[in-house]
Amino acid sequence: MSTLRDLAEEHTSLRPADIDHLHRIAGDWQLLSDLSFADLLLWVPVDGDGTFLCVAQVRPTTAPTAYLDDQVGRIVGGPEVAHLEVAHRQGRIWREGDPVWYGDVPARHEAIPVRLRTADGESGEVVAVVGRDTNLSTARTPSQLELNYLTTADDLAQMIADGTFPPPRHPGETTSAPRVGDGLVRLDANGKVTYASPNAQSAYRRLGYASHLVGEDLAKLHRRLASDPLEGTDAGNAVLAALRGEAPPRREIDARGATMLTRALPLMPAGVPIGALVLVRDITEVRRRDRALITKDATIREIHHRVKNNLQTVAALLRLQARRVAMPEARVALEESVRRVASIALVHETLSMSSDEAVEFDGIVDRVASAATEVAATEVSVGMRRQGSFGVLPAEIATSLVMVLNELLLNAVEHGFPPAGEEGVPGPEGAPEPAVVVSAHRFRKQLHVSVADNGRGLPEQFDAEKGGNLGLQIVRALVTGELRGTIELRNGARGGTEAVLVVPLARGTADRLAG
C-alpha cells in the first residue's frame, strides 16, 4: 500500500507544506479518534473530477470500528462525498444527515475541514477533510467520562478546522505520548481541574495525592507533589504554558518512588483559550526497567574493561618473558602470543565503551592492520588499506574474527614480501609498491572478507588444509569452529596471495548490519 505522501503526490496538486501538515495530523490523531469513539479517515480532493481519495485511516481503541476493511487508497464520488464537499468548500464542520449503513453497521458521518495556517498565523485554505465516522451499533446513554471525552473531541475538531491542531512536535520527541486511556485531566481557563478520568486519578494517587482532583489547581499540585523542586516547577510551568495556548514538551514527575509522564495540550476552539487537556501515564515500571538496564549495561562495560586490563597484563608478562628468553625460536613464539592477546584486548576495549554487546569493527581492523606493519619481522615497508565496511559485529564474532585477521595480516606481511634480492623476488625497478588490502561486504546474511597482497604468492605444492605455520592453523580452527565459516587460501588472479573468508551472521545481526 502506498504511503500518504505517495497517494497525495500521485492524485493531487497539494504542496509539500500541505502534505507535511497532513502527516502531522496523522501522527497525532489517535487522540481525537479515541476521544470521539470514532474512526477517522483523511480525505483529499482529487484534482478536477469531484472525487475524494482516502490517504490515511485510524480506528479508535475506545469503541468498535465502523470499518472492518482498510479504506486507504479508496476513491469515492457522487452523493457519498456530499458531506466532504460541504466541509471542503465551506470550511465548516458538517454534522447534518442521517446515519449511513455499512453492511449491518449503522454509522454517523461528520466532516472536519483541515486548514493549514499561513506563515503569519492567519487562517489559510482548506487542504483536506477528516471524516469522523462513529459506529452506532452500540449506542447508549453516555457516562460522565464519555461526555467529557466527546466535549474535548469537539474542541480538538474545531482546532483542526482552525489550523491550530496538532501542535508542532518538539525536537527529539517520539510518538510514545500518553494516550486517552492512560489518564485524562481537563482544566478550565484558570487551570482548575473540571474532570479527571479514573486512570488519571489512580496515576496521581501513586504520586501520593489521595484526594479527588476536581477543583485542584494542577500547576500548583505538580509543584507540591514532585520530589525534585526543579522537576515540579517544569511540570507546573508546562500546564501554565498550555493554558496560554502554547504546546509545551512532555514532562515527567517523580514522587514517592513513582513516575508519571504528562503531556499538556491547549484547548483553543475558534482561537479562544478555554483551558487545557492533560494526558498522564504511570511509567513507574518502565523507568524501573530502564534503571535496571542502565545498571546492567554499566556492569557489562566494567567487565569488558577489566578483561581488557587483564589481557594487557598478560601481554606485558609475556613481553617481559620474551626479553629474558635466550632461544630465538622461543622469543618469536612469545612475541606472537603477545600480538594475539593484544588483538583480543582491542575488542574488549571497544566493548567497554559501547552500550551493547556489539562493536564498530572497522576501527579495530584499522588498528590491527597498522600494528601488523609495525611489528612484523620484515625489512620491507608494506602499505595497508581497507575497502568496504565490516559495520557493527556482535562480540562473539568480533573476538574470533580479529584474531583471524591479525594472523592473516602478519602472514601476508612477513611471508608475502621477503627482502629484495631473494630468489623469486623481483627487483625494485618497475615493481609495484608492496600492499595488503582488506575487503569486506555483506551478502545474504553473510560477511565476506578477503585479505589480499601483491607479494610473491603461495609456494608450489602448498596444501591449504595441512600446510602453514601455527598462525594459519589457528586461523583455520577459528574460522571453521568459532565462526562456523569457510576460508580459502589461493594465489591472486594478478599475483600475490588471497585469503577469502565467508562468515554467517545471525538473523538479528544481519538485520542490524543492513544499515
Side-chain angles (χ1 to χ4, degrees), residues 130-385:
V130 171
R132 183 164 59 168
D133 301 335
T134 306
N135 184 333
L136 298 177
S137 61
T138 58
R140 56 188 173 79
T141 303
S143 64
Q144 184 186 11
L145 178 146
E146 292 167 334
L147 288 172
N148 276 277
Y149 276 20
L150 292 170
T151 300
T152 305
D154 288 342
D155 292 334
L156 294 180
Q158 185 60 53
M159 291 173 67
I160 289 179
D162 298 336
T164 56
F165 184 87
R169 183 168 295 165
H170 294 272
E173 271 193 344
T174 64
T175 56
S176 58
R179 289 192 165 193
V180 169
D182 296 324
L184 177 145
V185 179
R186 173 146 183 159
L187 309 180
D188 63 17
N190 296 317
K192 299 293 181 64
V193 177
T194 60
Y195 175 77
S197 70
N199 283 346
Q201 191 71 52
S202 296
Y204 278 92
R205 187 169 288 114
R206 290 290 302 276
L207 295 180
Y209 185 75
S211 301
H212 204 277
L213 285 168
V214 172
E216 278 290 334
D217 186 315
L218 198 65
K220 293 180 179 178
L221 179 62
H222 284 178
R223 295 190 181 106
R224 292 202 312 268
L225 289 178
S227 301
D228 183 344
L230 181 59
E231 188 179 82
T233 299
D234 289 341
N237 289 343
V239 173
L240 297 178
L243 294 172
R244 295 193 299 269
E246 303 170 15
R250 299 157 201 170
R251 300 294 185 187
E252 291 185 10
I253 302 176
D254 288 287
R256 296 169 61 106
T259 305
M260 185 175 71
L261 177 65
T262 69
R263 183 191 185 193
L265 293 168
L267 294 177
M268 300 177 59
V272 179
I274 63 170
L277 174 68
V278 180
L279 299 175
V280 300
R281 181 170 66 199
D282 181 2
I283 58 171
T284 304
E285 189 62 23
V286 174
R287 288 294 172 260
R288 187 194 66 77
R289 289 197 298 266
D290 288 345
R291 287 191 291 269
L293 286 173
I294 291 171
T295 302
K296 178 183 176 183
D297 289 342
T299 302
I300 291 173
R301 287 197 299 271
E302 178 62 22
I303 290 172
H304 284 301
H305 180 71
R306 294 187 182 188
V307 170
K308 182 262 297 183
N309 288 344
N310 290 339
L311 289 171
Q312 289 178 338
T313 301
V314 171
L317 292 174
L318 290 173
R319 194 177 295 112
L320 286 172
Q321 187 66 39
R323 292 172 183 170
R324 294 175 177 269
V325 172
M327 295 177 60
E329 295 85 356
R331 184 182 304 111
V332 169
L334 287 171
E335 289 173 348
E336 288 179 351
S337 297
V338 168
R339 291 193 291 270
R340 289 165 185 146
V341 172
S343 66
I344 300 174
L346 272 179
V347 175
H348 286 279
E349 180 181 6
T350 306
L351 286 168
S352 69
M353 297 181 290
S354 173
S355 60
D356 55 21
E357 286 292 283
V359 294
E360 281 284 355
F361 201 69
D362 290 346
I364 293 176
V365 173
D366 294 342
R367 292 172 66 180
V368 169
S370 177
T373 59
E374 294 175 1
V375 303
T378 179
E379 301 174 2
V380 181
S381 176
V382 181
M384 291 276 188
R385 63 189 177 91

Side-chain angles (χ1 to χ4, degrees), residues 380-385 412-413 416-417 432-438 451-455 496-497:
V380 181
S381 176
V382 181
M384 291 276 188
R385 63 189 177 91
V413 174
F417 306 99
E433 290 292 330
V436 178
V437 179
V438 182
V451 179
D453 64 63
N454 60 353
T497 305

Side-chain angles (χ1 to χ4, degrees), residues 387-390 439-443 446-449:
Q387 290 181 341
S389 174
F390 289 81
S439 304
H441 72 278
R442 295 180 290 274
F443 179 69
Q446 292 178 328
L447 180 63
H448 293 249
V449 183

